[in-house]
Amino acid sequence: MTEAPSPPPPPLTGLRVLDLATLFAGPLAATLLGDFGADVVKVEHPTRPDPSRGHGPSKDGVGLWWKLLGRNKRTITLDLSRPGGRATLLRLAAGADVIIENFRPGTLEKWDLGWPELSAANPRLVLARVTGFGQFGPYARRPGFGTLAEALSGFAAITGEPDAPPTLPPFGLADSIAGLATAYAVLTALAARDRTGAGQVVDLALIEPILTVLGPHPLWYDQLGHVQPRTGNRSQNNAPRNTYRTADGTWVAVSTSAQSVAERVMHLVGRPELIDEPWFATGADRARHADVLDEAVGAWIARHTRADVLAAFEKAEAAVAPVQDVTDVMTDPQYAALGTITTVDDPELGPLRMQNVLFRLSATPGAIRWAGRPHGADTEAVLTEAGLTPDELAALRAEGAL
């Protein structure tokens, strides 16, 4: 019998990444690269590991967030502030393609590990520097976290009810967007290296990617002086657009960004006469009459169970979704069909269910090979691969660099 051909390796196989970053954008970028085959080595301080190991709930003393953020990474310890740690990082950098770090600007330079030293060790290296405010400017040396980016960018100002305080997201939104942007920036720099043969520095500030995803707000202000207010779940661009309570006490979200969908919803809820109103013809005009439209849609939904609402909207080809919590997500049939939640066997905690890789590739898919590993679990193996001898490892331990 002819053996089936081996599957092709993931697309980033052979790419070597040193993840020096913590909390959360830089490490997420490294995770995304590791999901598609990159050999990611997580470098942590010997006595102060990545704080994500202790963030949020834990089981049997093992942080669960780390199991997600640390997946597909080998873990080593190294104190970069010590001479032996500095020398060892330069040896690792010589064989790496990418370093991702998020120290405050000037920290690597303080250790003589800035771009001149790193690029001298490896001219093809890409150094991704992820900070709150970038490498220069009046805020550069301030401590920066995603919460500050969510406030500074204008996100919080437009989030929440009109008569309520600005609202911050209950999760790391700015960090997550920045992590996605960093992975994209790294791959862009690597593509340039393929043409030029030279590496370069990526300077990514948390305050910028979230501003990008906010859309045309600066353009609106520049050209029209328009400042978007808080509108709760409503939109200034279309209506009806809101969450509505069903007869059985659950919630659904309705969107009518397309004119045809807005018309279908009005037919569905028994208010077709509203379509003939002059203001119904554009999304912006409909938004100015959101009270009328919300009453029409909300009253109809309030008389029906969630199951009936979803079935009726689907039959009418109108846009609706249940407002789901994580319990619903874990059993949602569309997520199940996509394989969005997958099971990873972990030697510490057993089977773990977590988000799968970010997207599907038809020919060279990514995969989760393992969940986040214990602190320093691969130190000896990784450094031995880099050419360090047992005596050198012993000297680093004696110095406190490991």
Side-chain angles (χ1 to χ4, degrees):
M1 177 182 291
T2 303
E3 291 187 7
S6 300
L12 300 183
T13 298
L15 187 72
R16 295 183 178 182
V17 179
L18 300 179
D19 174 10
L20 313 186
T22 59
L23 289 181
F24 286 97
L28 176 59
T31 301
L32 298 174
L33 299 173
D35 284 350
F36 286 89
D39 176 17
V40 179
V41 174
K42 175 74 174 181
V43 181
E44 298 175 87
H45 191 278
T47 61
R48 299 191 299 275
D50 188 326
S52 66
R53 291 181 179 273
H55 260 57
S58 62
K59 180 181 178 182
D60 299 335
V62 179
L64 296 175
W65 200 334
W66 167 252
K67 287 298 178 182
L68 176 68
L69 193 64
R71 72 188 191 192
N72 291 336
K73 300 178 184 181
R74 296 192 288 168
T75 62
I76 71 170
T77 60
L78 200 60
D79 185 345
L80 304 182
S81 69
R82 297 181 183 271
R86 174 188 180 275
T88 302
L89 183 71
L90 289 174
R91 290 177 70 168
L92 291 171
D97 297 286
V98 179
I99 291 179
I100 301 174
E101 64 95 0
N102 71 336
F103 299 108
R104 209 177 298 186
T107 301
L108 282 184
E109 287 74 11
K110 178 179 65 176
W111 298 330
D112 292 325
L113 286 171
W115 179 239
E117 292 81 11
L118 292 171
S119 61
N122 181 356
R124 290 175 55 81
L125 185 69
V126 170
L127 173 62
R129 314 195 75 170
V130 185
T131 57
F133 305 105
Q135 294 295 312
F136 55 90
Y139 304 165
R141 292 185 178 270
R142 294 181 182 178
F145 297 98
T147 297
L148 308 187
E150 289 146 9
L152 197 66
S153 65
F155 170 84
I158 64 170
T159 304
E161 295 298 325
D163 55 352
T167 300
L168 295 167
F171 65 100
L173 177 63
D175 280 292
S176 299
I177 297 170
L180 292 165
T182 301
Y184 165 59
V186 164
L187 294 177
T188 301
L190 290 171
R193 189 186 72 175
D194 288 343
R195 295 195 307 274
T196 67
Q200 60 182 298
V201 176
V202 171
D203 177 8
L204 190 137
L206 292 182
I207 61 174
E208 292 182 305
I210 189 169
L211 182 59
T212 295
V213 302
L214 285 177
H217 291 196
L219 183 61
W220 287 341
Y221 177 77
D222 176 65
Q223 296 296 304
L224 303 172
H226 175 72
V227 178
Q228 180 170 328
R230 288 190 292 282
T231 59
N233 291 325
R234 288 179 173 178
S235 167
Q236 290 188 310
N237 303 313
N238 67 82
R241 191 262 198 183
N242 214 325
T243 57
Y244 305 93
R245 192 176 180 92
T246 65
D248 50 353
T250 62
W251 293 85
V252 296
V254 172
S255 175
T256 57
S257 294
Q259 180 71 20
S260 59
V261 173
E263 293 175 5
R264 289 177 202 147
V265 170
M266 291 302 103
H267 283 290
L268 172 62
V269 302
R271 298 292 302 275
E273 76 280 2
L274 294 176
I275 299 172
D276 297 326
E277 294 286 348
W279 49 260
F280 198 88
T282 70
D285 283 340
R286 292 200 309 276
R288 283 188 277 271
H289 293 79
D291 287 342
V292 175
L293 296 172
D294 275 345
E295 190 282 327
V297 175
W300 184 89
I301 288 177
R303 298 194 299 271
H304 297 80
T305 65
R306 183 172 81 168
D308 288 342
V309 169
L310 298 179
F313 268 72
E314 182 172 358
K315 183 177 180 180
E317 298 184 358
V320 70
V323 176
Q324 299 192 147
D325 64 16
V326 69
T327 305
D328 303 310
V329 168
M330 298 297 270
T331 57
D332 182 272
Q334 183 61 33
Y335 281 133
L338 295 173
T340 306
I341 303 296
T342 191
T343 300
V344 180
D345 289 324
D346 181 70
E348 289 186 286
L349 297 178
L352 304 173
R353 287 191 294 167
M354 65 174 66
Q355 299 96 317
N356 209 336
V357 299
L358 192 60
F359 49 85
R360 288 161 293 282
L361 295 179
S362 61
T364 56
I368 302 172
R369 303 182 297 283
W370 60 82
R373 289 173 55 70
H375 182 225
D378 305 290
T379 301
E380 186 168 331
V382 170
L383 297 186
T384 299
E385 289 175 12
L388 275 73
T389 66
D391 288 344
E392 288 174 314
L393 292 173
L396 289 169
R397 290 192 181 95
E399 184 190 355
L402 294 186

